[in-house]
Amino acid sequence: MRISLLTLGVTALPGVVAWGGFGHITVAYLASNFVSNETTAFFQGLLRNDTEHYLAGVATWADSLRYTRWGRFTGPFHFIDAKDSPPTYCGIDYERDCKKEGCVVSALHNYTTRLLDTELHVSERAMAAKFVVHFVGDIHQPLHTEDVARGGNGIHVLFDGRNFNLHHVWDTSIPEKLVGGIHRKPYEAAKRWADVLTTEINEGKFLSAKDEWLKATNVSDPRSTALSWATESNAVVCTTVLPQGPDAIVGQELGSKYYEAAAPVVEAQIAKAGYRLAAWMDLIVSSLRNQPSPGDL
Ligand SMILES: *[C@@H]1O[C@H](CO)[C@@H](O)[C@H](O)[C@H]1NC(C)=O
Ligand SMILES: *[C@@H]1O[C@H](CO)[C@@H](O)[C@H](O)[C@H]1NC(C)=O
Ligand SMILES: *[C@@H]1O[C@H](CO)[C@@H](O)[C@H](O)[C@H]1NC(C)=O
Ligand SMILES: *[C@@H]1O[C@H](CO)[C@@H](O)[C@H](O)[C@H]1NC(C)=O
């Protein structure tokens, strides 16, 4: 984790960074595999990068921004702290759980709207694009939709004999173990994993689920869409993250039996995030195309 962050040039407090850089980059490569050619051209233009890395290269930008003085206001945008009670009760109540400073649901709403706003300066819209890429990743990390112990940051556990907090285990330890380690090359490992997941979605174990994944997607209603994604992630807290509640997990070794149950869920959440991000980007581009005033994209 620390090594991959240094490689990415990201200053981060251990355990506070979402999905780890590796998860976010995977989501971005996955989305780039699914978007239409028109969408690729639009976002490559907006982000001024015509390589296949145009999304992957901006996927962790929001994590570096939040620890800067200017970007501090974006800190709350990475999560929504559901005040639920796992494992007996999971659920998100927008009014109850989205702080007045904002949350990942309001942020996805805001930055989707800004991306669609042709009156805004392109630099603002490019920034909005980077936020959307990142927050669609975050919202699929179950512990970004959970209040308990600051999203699990305060729960100390073991993973393969080493001390971590639970948040880090879900952000980083499980995804990296799943692919057999990223060997200090997060972009290459992420590209490979994204290609594996692309095949699983197109013709493998996710083929039958992928249409269901897009059911709640409505670009005219970004808040409801984001809320449904968040609610689904939050449900995983009760089933898989804390199936016996927060106390039962403290100090436990999570690298074997727990990992076996969690890894397929992490894989599915990453796959969903990338597939949904692609659909979201396609919808943004077609909705811009269909705007009454022909303004430049
Ligand atoms: C999209 O672009 C790819 C790569 O440039 C090309 O191979 C493919 O034919 C294009 N697809 C469509 C539908 O134009
Ligand atoms: C595109 O993004 C990648 C990844 O961040 C970067 O390595 C590359 O230099 C960029 N290319 C251009 C033309 O900006
Ligand atoms: C929307 O984004 C802009 C630009 O980052 C920010 O100034 C504003 O506070 C955001 N609004 C909300 C409600 O998150
Ligand atoms: C999408 O959202 C808009 C705005 O809230 C709503 O009018 C429309 O019915 C929604 N579409 C679907 C298919 O739910």
Side-chain angles (χ1 to χ4, degrees):
M1 166 83 163
R2 184 170 304 145
I3 286 158
S4 66
L5 285 170
L6 288 175
T7 317
L8 294 169
V10 173
T11 25
L13 311 176
V16 194
V17 175
W19 270 137
F22 172 58
H24 279 288
I25 299 165
T26 305
V27 169
Y29 276 128
L30 192 49
S32 12
N33 283 349
F34 280 104
V35 288
S36 73
N37 286 0
E38 187 189 5
T39 300
T40 306
F42 172 78
F43 281 94
Q44 286 184 336
L46 188 62
L47 297 167
R48 298 175 162 283
N49 189 312
D50 61 1
T51 73
E52 62 174 339
H53 313 292
Y54 68 106
L55 286 184
V58 301
T60 60
W61 169 82
D63 271 333
S64 55
L65 183 74
R66 65 190 288 196
Y67 302 109
T68 65
R69 184 190 293 240
W70 181 82
R72 198 174 296 159
F73 76 100
T74 64
F77 298 170
H78 293 250
F79 51 84
I80 182 164
D81 279 340
K83 308 238 177 336
D84 52 5
S85 182
T88 48
Y89 157 65
C90 274
I92 295 180
D93 177 331
Y94 183 81
E95 304 300 332
R96 178 194 66 190
D97 299 329
C98 192
K99 295 183 171 71
K100 70 176 192 315
E101 298 81 14
C103 65
V104 69
V105 174
S106 64
L108 270 173
H109 183 186
N110 187 33
Y111 291 110
T112 299
T113 306
R114 292 172 71 83
L115 197 38
L116 286 165
D117 183 353
T118 52
E119 311 269 290
L120 274 186
H121 193 273
V122 286
S123 63
E124 288 289 339
R125 294 172 72 203
M127 218 189 294
K130 298 185 206 177
F131 278 126
V132 167
V133 170
H134 188 85
F135 295 147
V136 172
D138 277 345
I139 207 168
H140 286 84
Q141 209 282 45
L143 284 167
H144 278 248
T145 63
E146 179 55 52
D147 187 50
V148 164
R150 294 174 290 113
N153 276 293
I155 299 177
H156 296 279
V157 296
L158 292 166
F159 194 85
D160 290 337
R162 296 173 61 199
N163 288 298
F164 291 109
N165 71 59
L166 184 66
H167 193 97
H168 178 95
V169 166
W170 276 79
D171 266 356
T172 304
S173 311
I174 296 173
E176 292 189 1
K177 180 166 174 160
L178 231 165
V179 299
I182 63 170
H183 310 293
R184 304 187 186 194
K185 296 202 162 125
Y187 285 88
E188 289 165 35
K191 178 84 180 81
R192 274 196 305 274
W193 194 22
D195 290 344
V196 169
L197 293 175
T198 296
T199 307
E200 294 293 358
I201 291 169
N202 282 333
E203 53 194 80
K205 63 179 151 198
F206 297 132
L207 173 63
S208 60
K210 67 179 184 182
D211 292 341
E212 181 76 17
W213 288 353
L214 300 186
K215 223 181 52 185
T217 312
N218 182 351
V219 80
S220 310
D221 196 346
R223 197 177 103 171
S224 308
T225 304
L227 193 54
S228 85
W229 293 342
T231 302
E232 196 185 284
S233 301
N234 169 268
V236 169
V237 176
C238 281
T239 58
T240 315
V241 181
L242 298 170
Q244 262 98 52
D247 294 336
I249 207 175
V250 174
Q252 299 298 307
E253 169 56 56
L254 306 188
S256 50
K257 207 160 153 252
Y258 183 94
Y259 169 81
E260 297 301 331
V265 173
V266 166
E267 188 186 29
Q269 287 302 107
I270 295 275
K272 272 183 216 174
Y275 194 66
R276 283 171 171 166
L277 176 58
W280 199 242
M281 291 168 59
D282 279 346
L283 285 168
I284 286 167
V285 169
S286 45
S287 129
L288 283 166
R289 190 202 314 121
N290 297 331
Q291 272 181 7
S293 60
D296 60 338
L297 291 185

